Amino acid sequence: MENGIQVAIDGPASAGKSTVAKLVAKRFQYVYCDTGAMYRVVTLAALQKGIAMEDTDQISRLAGQIKISFAPGDPEQKVFLDGHEVTTAIRQAQIDQNVSAVAAIPAVRQEMTNQQRQIASHGGIVMDGRDIGTTVLPDAPVKIFMVATAYERARRRYVENKAKGIETASLSELQKEIELRDQKDSSRKVSPLTQAPDAIRLDTTDLTIDQVVDRISAIIKKTLNELG
């Protein structure tokens, strides 16, 4: 409690988890751990080395060999692979299309989970992903499950890509990709996307980012008061 509590934010692709998690962490002066970016870094590293996405053994070994790190940035946190910045590279379409397969590899998930738990062990952490409240931080005092319609999530991704100058698919194609990603994430055998029984479900379809941050902040403050 001295350093703060663990806050787990889960939900499907493009629900706005990372954006909200960063702002919540900043508001409470907590550490932010971008778990989704970690899987994207592993995916990028595998593609750079020409490893086939079906070669789970090689990808698993690679996950244990690479160094993933984060650094403060403006407007967004910077992500590094073995000391080289890959903040933009891990958001490309090729990564979007393959990250679910990489994230479904048991050994990769175990390696990333170990790293994430180590980061969160001191408290005062906001972590977002697909299985934070169910697998990575099952004892987190605050668990949020963020959702939004597939169309709204596709629209957000389209606008975000355009703003960053990233080549993007059409809105309808993005929606199909997101719906496919939902299906993959929800049906994988290891740590599928599912709402923890004690998580608070928050539909963000008609909410602004500030409204979502305010609602989650209120939940955290209430929990802190209850824990004394």
Side-chain angles (χ1 to χ4, degrees), residues 60-217:
S60 298
R61 282 194 293 272
L62 182 65
Q65 295 166 352
I66 61 175
K67 176 177 172 51
I68 303 171
S69 56
F70 301 98
D74 190 12
E76 62 181 339
Q77 181 171 249
K78 296 179 181 179
V79 187
F80 297 86
L81 164 59
D82 292 332
H84 300 286
E85 188 181 351
V86 293
T87 311
T88 301
I90 63 170
R91 300 295 170 185
Q92 300 293 339
Q94 191 177 19
I95 307 299
D96 289 344
Q97 293 157 9
N98 290 288
V99 66
S100 287
V102 171
I105 301 171
V108 173
R109 296 204 70 81
Q110 188 58 58
E111 176 62 32
M112 296 299 105
T113 296
N114 291 342
Q115 292 188 31
Q116 292 153 13
R117 285 176 177 160
Q118 180 59 38
I119 294 170
S121 62
H122 304 294
I125 185 90
V126 179
M127 196 176 289
D128 72 284
R130 302 290 194 281
D131 63 344
I132 309 305
T134 54
T135 303
V136 183
L137 303 178
D139 297 322
V142 172
K143 298 178 185 177
I144 308 293
F145 194 79
M146 285 177 55
V147 297
T149 63
Y151 172 79
E152 174 60 18
R153 286 182 283 138
R155 188 194 66 78
R156 292 172 184 172
R157 175 61 62 84
Y158 183 82
V159 171
E160 181 183 353
N161 286 350
K162 284 287 190 181
K164 292 180 178 178
I166 297 174
E167 186 176 342
T168 185
S170 67
L171 189 55
S172 60
E173 288 172 329
L174 282 174
Q175 183 173 341
K176 289 177 183 176
E177 285 182 10
I178 281 175
E179 289 170 343
L180 178 60
R181 179 84 179 273
D182 287 349
Q183 193 275 327
K184 287 180 180 178
D185 287 345
S186 300
S187 61
R188 69 184 178 213
K189 293 180 180 179
V190 181
S191 296
L193 169 66
T194 184
Q195 181 176 339
D198 54 345
I200 296 172
R201 190 179 186 88
L202 181 57
D203 190 331
T204 70
T205 302
D206 298 317
L207 299 178
T208 65
I209 290 172
D210 288 342
Q211 287 173 325
V212 176
V213 171
D214 285 344
R215 292 196 185 190
I216 294 175
S217 296

Side-chain angles (χ1 to χ4, degrees), residues 51-63 101-102 104-108:
I51 300 174
M53 292 296 104
E54 298 78 26
D55 194 339
T56 57
D57 289 339
Q58 275 207 67
I59 295 175
S60 298
R61 282 194 293 272
L62 182 65
V102 171
I105 301 171
V108 173

